[in-house]
Amino acid sequence: GDGIVWNGSDCAFTCASGFFFSDGSCRRCSALSCAAGSTLLACGLTSDAVCVDCELIPTGRFVWSHGCDFNCAGGAYRDGNNCLDCTVPWCAPGLFASPCSS
């Protein structure tokens, strides 16, 4: 269809779900797959869908995993929205430091 939903007999219409109004007609919303580090902003009444950068950017050494989710890179661990570098503690003779993990 053309995405138009007629509102009675007065020639008024709205765009159906999955459509937005632009340039005098209803247009199908884009089906986007956003890259890691961005998220989908769904289409609105008069705007198409768009990928936008994540608002919260973690600090430290990280890699985006999916959308706005992230993992800390090797040698760092997650503390809230931050990736902190691991430190090697001093160990008494005969003891070993456990590896740092995210």
Side-chain angles (χ1 to χ4, degrees):
D2 54 12
I4 294 175
V5 177
W6 293 101
N7 299 331
S9 61
D10 61 358
C11 295
F13 68 92
T14 58
C15 294
S17 177
F19 291 79
F20 68 100
F21 186 78
S22 177
D23 297 327
S25 64
C26 294
R27 301 180 184 276
R28 185 173 302 279
C29 297
S30 296
L32 300 175
S33 178
C34 299
S38 64
T39 188
L40 180 67
L41 182 61
C43 72
L45 295 175
T46 59
S47 60
D48 197 3
V50 64
C51 294
V52 295
D53 290 339
C54 299
E55 289 185 25
L56 181 63
I57 306 295
T59 60
R61 291 183 291 152
F62 70 93
V63 290
W64 293 113
S65 56
H66 179 319
C68 292
D69 295 331
F70 69 93
N71 294 314
C72 294
Y77 67 95
R78 188 168 181 161
D79 181 23
N81 290 316
N82 302 307
C83 290
L84 304 176
D85 287 336
C86 296
T87 57
V88 178
W90 177 86
C91 293
L95 299 176
F96 298 95
S98 62
C100 180
S101 62
S102 53

